């Protein structure tokens, strides 16, 4: 293990919720919960104000509403989160070529490989500058952990939350880890933790005292050896710059089970189109089409079909997904559907037969829908009807007269909109008919206002080392996530700029 604390772990603070607070002035400093809003929805992220009421990630949304009935409940805006994530990852890549993203809001960085840190003082300075640059570029905050290994750097960032920096000095690791619960260590989940507890092992110090032979007896050779090493603060895992994407998939869980077979087919076609758009944004194609169906009784079926060659043709993926659906009994109802593509490649072998079929039907084989939610076809006679306009809570809209705003709620043929931007004060609320032609969905606005004269897309306003970062940081863009905000202090409180060592 290295002797200098040059592994950095960044974790954005309550990422989704904090991005929503930064975007919506009326929600700053208030409880915000982001996730699925239906009866089966779960919490994706809760702001720190919501966590005071006991609302946490992965909690059923119904339980969250009971604990925090007055919180703002919003549908995720993943396009915005991906854009902000790419800005943050750009700042990390400016520090080192070895950046290992774990999710939209979390990553490891090997500072030594980038020559940006080589001892305690330089590592601490780099971490402080990174936090300042993230705030300047995105308007959000992140917590930074610095240590000599990935495991310890992640533990340090957890201690730094929210909006702080913690550096674990080499030589203090064993004393720090000793009193911590065994669940602190990577790879110790609920089942392993219970197994160790029954053996009388509840802390990391007790884990080390048990000895390697005892841990191998309790957990098996591979897990026992690895856990004993981590209990001694030994973690040799390197920062891996790129993780190979093995699959691209999308899935939806429905608030009410779908029983209509035609509706199930339409949903599968819609998911296939979304999956292809993700493939193309990543510059990938794939050979194996996968259909996932979770039925009313929670039984989950997976079906797959392997093509002759890789494709990113939406017509080909739709047809394969439809064929797979033919072999699945959906009589009792469907609660979840998913479409994925595996066997990925960075090139496409065109399916000429599919192209010929599409040409005969009078439509391009590779045509993409402009929106993420295309209009659904009418069931029986093949005619299409306009889809009912949906207004998800928290999503952006623009009104011809009142400008940019976001949806506070909708129902009974009405939609309520608060008109404000990230750069304004709290705005006014107005209500419209859901079919009002003057109201349209809109793209999210950047969280930090940009002036036309700002070179390289940098935000206006001061910020430490922003000019240096601006030469490296990319603009917003889409990326495929393998499956994710923090808050400016002046907006949500909590945290501080002081750095500390445990």
């Amino acid at each position: 293990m290295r002797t200098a604390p040059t592994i950095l772990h960044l974790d954005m603070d309550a990422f989704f919720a904090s991005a929503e607070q930064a975007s919506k002035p009326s929600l700053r400093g208030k409880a915000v919960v982001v996730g699925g809003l239906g009866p089966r929805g779960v919490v994706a992220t809760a702001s720190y104000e919501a966590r005071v009421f006991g609302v946490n990630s992965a909690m059923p949304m119904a339980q969250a509403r009971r604990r925090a009935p007055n919180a703002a409940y919003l549908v995720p805006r993943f396009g915005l989160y991906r854009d902000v994530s790419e800005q943050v990852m750009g700042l990390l890549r400016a520090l080192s070529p070895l950046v290992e993203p774990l999710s939209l809001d979390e990553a490891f960085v090997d500072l030594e490989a980038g020559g940006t840190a080589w001892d305690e003082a330089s590592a601490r300075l780099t971490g402080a500058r990174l936090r300042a640059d993230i705030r300047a570029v995105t308007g959000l905050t992140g917590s930074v952990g610095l240590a000599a290994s990935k495991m310890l750097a992640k533990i340090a960032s957890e201690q730094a939350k929210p909006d702080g920096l913690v550096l674990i000095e080499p030589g203090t690791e064993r004393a720090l880890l000793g009193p911590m619960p065994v669940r602190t260590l990577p790879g110790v989940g609920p089942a392993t933790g219970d197994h160790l507890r029954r053996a009388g092992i509840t802390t990391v110090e007790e884990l080390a005292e048990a000895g390697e032979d005892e841990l191998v007896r309790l957990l098996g050779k591979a897990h026992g050896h690895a856990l004993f090493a981590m209990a001694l603060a030994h973690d040799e895992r390197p920062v891996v710059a790129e993780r190979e994407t093995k699959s691209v998939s999308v899935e939806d869980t429905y608030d009410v089970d779908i029983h209509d077979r035609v509706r199930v087919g339409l949903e599968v076609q819609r998911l296939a189109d979304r999956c292809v758009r993700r493939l193309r944004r990543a510059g990938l194609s794939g050979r194996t089409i996968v259909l996932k169906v979770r039925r009313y009784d929670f039984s989950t079926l997976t079906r797959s079909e392997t093509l002759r060659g890789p494709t990113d043709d939406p017509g080909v993926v739709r047809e394969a997904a439809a064929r797979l659906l033919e072999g699945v009994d959906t009589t009792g109802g469907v609660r979840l559907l998913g479409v994925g593509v595996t066997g990925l490649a960075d090139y496409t072998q065109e399916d000429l037969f599919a192209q010929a079929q599409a040409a005969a039907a009078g439509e391009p084989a590779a045509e993409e829908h402009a929106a993420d939610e295309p209009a659904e076809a009418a069931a029986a006679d093949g005619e299409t009807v306009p889809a009912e306009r949906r207004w998800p809570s928290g999503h952006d809209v623009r009104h011809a007269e009142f400008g940019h705003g976001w949806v506070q709620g909708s129902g009974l043929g009405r939609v309520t909109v608060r008109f404000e931007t990230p750069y304004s004060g709290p705005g006014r609320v107005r209500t419209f008919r859901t079919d009002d032609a003057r109201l349209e969905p809109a793209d999210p606005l950047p969280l930090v206002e940009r002036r036309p004269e700002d070179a390289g897309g940098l935000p206006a306003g001061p910020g430490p080392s922003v000019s240096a970062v601006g030469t490296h940081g990319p603009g917003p863009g889409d990326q495929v996530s393998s499956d994710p905000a923090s808050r400016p202090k002046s907006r949500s409180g909590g945290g501080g700029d002081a750095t500390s060592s445990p």
Side-chain angles (χ1 to χ4, degrees):
M1 192 169 82
R2 66 185 71 196
T3 58
T6 54
I7 299 294
L8 180 148
H9 181 260
L10 171 71
D11 197 349
M12 300 294 287
D13 300 322
F15 184 38
F16 296 174
S18 293
E20 298 296 346
Q21 288 177 317
S23 178
K24 301 171 172 63
S26 58
L27 297 184
R28 294 171 188 168
K30 297 182 180 179
V32 174
V33 181
V34 180
L37 302 190
R40 295 170 179 164
V42 297
V43 175
T45 308
S47 70
Y48 286 97
E49 295 83 359
R51 295 180 191 187
V52 172
F53 299 98
V55 178
N56 297 301
S57 299
M59 174 182 290
M61 191 61 75
Q63 182 180 358
R65 288 185 183 275
R66 289 193 296 269
R67 294 190 177 188
N70 297 320
Y73 289 87
L74 307 176
V75 176
R77 295 185 294 163
F78 288 107
L80 170 65
Y81 310 148
R82 282 193 295 268
D83 288 348
V84 176
S85 174
E86 189 57 32
Q87 291 178 306
V88 173
M89 296 303 166
L91 294 174
L92 298 182
R93 294 186 188 106
L95 297 177
S96 173
L98 293 183
V99 176
E100 182 178 340
L102 303 180
S103 62
L104 290 178
D105 61 343
E106 185 180 4
F108 286 110
V109 185
D110 188 331
L111 299 178
E112 188 175 29
T116 50
W118 49 91
D119 58 13
E120 179 182 337
S122 58
R124 191 185 294 275
L125 179 61
T126 299
R129 286 178 173 172
L130 172 65
R131 294 178 57 238
D133 289 337
I134 289 173
R135 183 189 293 272
V137 172
T138 70
L140 305 178
T141 63
S143 296
V144 169
L146 293 157
S149 69
K150 291 169 68 172
M151 176 186 73
L152 293 167
K154 184 173 176 61
I155 291 172
S157 69
E158 286 295 323
Q159 293 184 332
K161 281 185 168 295
D163 189 18
L165 182 152
V166 167
L167 182 148
I168 298 178
E169 299 176 357
T172 66
E173 298 93 346
R174 290 286 302 276
L176 171 72
L177 285 175
M180 290 184 174
V182 293
R183 290 286 303 276
T184 303
L185 301 181
V188 182
T192 301
D194 288 343
H195 190 51
L196 291 171
R197 180 180 53 79
R198 288 193 294 270
I201 300 172
T202 60
T203 67
V204 175
E205 183 177 9
E206 292 170 346
L207 201 64
E209 290 175 350
E212 188 170 13
D213 292 341
E214 176 65 8
L215 295 182
V216 168
R217 186 187 69 80
L218 288 171
L219 305 173
K221 186 174 182 180
H223 201 182
H225 282 311
L227 208 54
F228 181 69
M230 287 189 288
L232 299 179
H234 297 159
D235 179 17
E236 301 294 339
R237 294 175 300 160
V239 175
V240 180
E242 296 294 337
R243 291 180 178 270
E244 182 182 359
T245 302
K246 296 182 179 180
S247 66
V248 173
S249 63
V250 297
E251 62 181 41
D252 278 344
T253 300
Y254 304 99
D255 296 340
V256 179
D257 291 348
I258 303 176
H259 293 84
D260 180 22
R261 182 74 176 186
V262 174
R263 168 86 188 283
V264 172
L266 291 171
E267 289 294 322
V268 168
Q269 300 298 293
R270 182 177 62 83
L271 291 167
D273 289 340
R274 284 173 54 193
C275 184
V276 168
R277 286 196 292 278
R278 287 195 178 187
L279 271 177
R280 291 186 167 187
R281 282 201 297 264
L284 298 171
S285 60
R287 294 188 62 210
T288 301
I289 314 303
V290 180
L291 175 70
K292 178 180 178 181
V293 180
R294 180 167 298 151
R295 299 188 292 190
Y296 69 98
D297 58 357
F298 287 89
S299 62
T300 302
L301 304 177
T302 303
R303 301 288 185 267
S304 64
E305 176 182 318
T306 299
L307 309 174
R308 293 192 300 267
T311 184
D312 65 351
D313 187 317
V316 174
V317 176
R318 283 196 298 265
E319 290 174 8
R323 286 194 297 271
L324 294 170
L325 180 61
E326 291 174 359
V328 178
D329 180 12
T330 62
T331 305
V334 171
R335 60 187 295 118
L336 177 147
L337 290 168
V339 174
V341 177
T342 65
L344 301 182
D346 57 2
Y347 66 93
T348 302
Q349 179 177 319
E350 299 294 348
D351 190 324
L352 299 181
F353 180 68
Q355 288 184 353
Q357 281 187 318
E363 63 180 43
E367 180 180 5
E368 290 189 72
H369 294 280
D372 207 38
E373 300 288 344
E376 296 181 356
D381 54 10
E383 295 182 0
T384 57
V385 295
E388 181 182 356
R389 302 178 82 189
R390 296 195 297 175
W391 303 101
S393 297
H395 280 224
D396 299 83
V397 294
R398 178 168 292 279
H399 190 273
E401 179 181 354
F402 301 110
H404 192 95
W406 58 277
V407 176
Q408 280 201 319
S410 63
L412 302 177
R414 296 288 188 269
V415 55
T416 300
V417 177
R418 183 179 288 275
F419 290 97
E420 61 186 10
T421 73
Y423 336 119
S424 71
R428 294 189 61 182
V429 175
R430 299 179 184 274
T431 299
F432 309 91
R433 291 176 57 90
T434 55
D435 58 357
D436 191 325
R438 298 171 299 172
L439 189 66
E440 295 290 342
D443 292 329
L445 297 175
L447 301 184
V448 174
E449 188 171 18
R450 288 162 174 75
R451 300 174 303 194
E453 63 269 24
D454 286 331
L458 284 173
S465 68
V466 171
S467 59
V469 174
T471 61
H472 302 285
D478 285 326
Q479 65 179 16
V480 174
S481 63
S482 57
D483 145 31
S486 54
R487 304 156 296 119
K489 287 193 301 177
S490 59
R491 294 175 179 171
S492 303
D497 291 329
T499 61
S500 61
S501 298

